[in-house]
Amino acid sequence: MRSPARLKYTLLLAVLAVSALVLLSWSRDWYVFTLAGDSAERVAVPGAVAAPALSALALAGIALAAALTIAGPVFRVILGVLQVVLGGCIVLSASLAVADPVSAGARAVTDRTGIDGAASVAALVAETAGGTWAAVTLALGVLAALLGVAVLVTSRRWPASSRRYSAVQFDEAGTSDSAGTLDSAAQPDEAPARGRDASVSDWDTLSDGRDPTGSDR
């Protein structure tokens, strides 16, 4: 049986890895359309076109994994629920592209040919190839949701996050030192006062015609 600490970091790494793979899938070509006509032009449909929301979902998953490293028991539950929701959104985005590749990649065809409209684009696409990355993303979404469930189930057993900062404690010795410092700081003010009294006395002696440094004082 795995220790709570090992279980925690295994799940965190899994969430991070799945999110990174979703981001990688978003950057790859999902489909290749062959257009009707004599030229049989081919148009690549990247994941950024077929499922544009994946980049935001993947980055949210990465941020969620980072937040889980310092979250307390209550926030772990909240973040676990969010992970399940993120996984469901990834599944939804990928499943829409798997169910209707032509509609998902219509923007790529429009950018290449200038032809717009769902019916016009569907009539222009003669053949659809690929789809591996779309299926992989769909599986990653399911896995992301399952990881969220795992966080919900096991988060109460995770070890508490370490605290970098602790409260500063003051003892009586520190108070005494502070008082002593204040007393010593006040002492230099007394010395100038005594010096000023001596100067006045010397001035009075000179006014009387006597030597202030003489022994007759």
Side-chain angles (χ1 to χ4, degrees), residues 45-196:
V45 180
V49 173
L54 288 180
S55 60
L57 294 173
L59 292 175
I62 293 173
L64 188 146
L68 278 173
T69 61
I70 58 173
V74 176
F75 284 101
R76 291 172 196 163
V77 174
I78 297 174
L79 293 174
V81 173
L82 289 178
Q83 178 64 24
V84 174
V85 173
L86 286 177
C89 292
I90 293 171
V91 169
L92 178 61
S93 298
S95 61
L96 291 175
V98 170
D100 194 353
V102 176
S103 296
R107 197 184 77 186
V109 176
T110 300
D111 292 342
R112 177 68 66 86
T113 64
I115 298 175
D116 198 2
S120 299
V121 171
L124 186 61
V125 176
E127 184 180 353
T128 301
T132 301
W133 279 106
V136 169
T137 306
L138 183 60
L140 289 173
V142 174
L143 181 57
L146 292 176
L147 288 174
V149 174
V151 170
L152 289 173
V153 172
T154 65
S155 61
R156 293 186 180 276
R157 294 188 297 160
W158 292 4
S161 302
S162 60
R163 297 181 179 180
R164 295 181 56 190
Y165 304 100
S166 58
V168 179
Q169 297 181 352
F170 297 94
D171 54 11
E172 296 180 358
T175 305
S176 301
D177 293 342
S178 300
T181 303
L182 293 175
D183 293 341
S184 61
Q187 290 177 358
D189 294 338
E190 299 176 359
R194 290 193 295 269
R196 286 194 295 270

Side-chain angles (χ1 to χ4, degrees), residues 210-217:
R210 290 180 292 126
D211 184 5
T213 63
S215 60
D216 57 348
R217 295 184 61 196

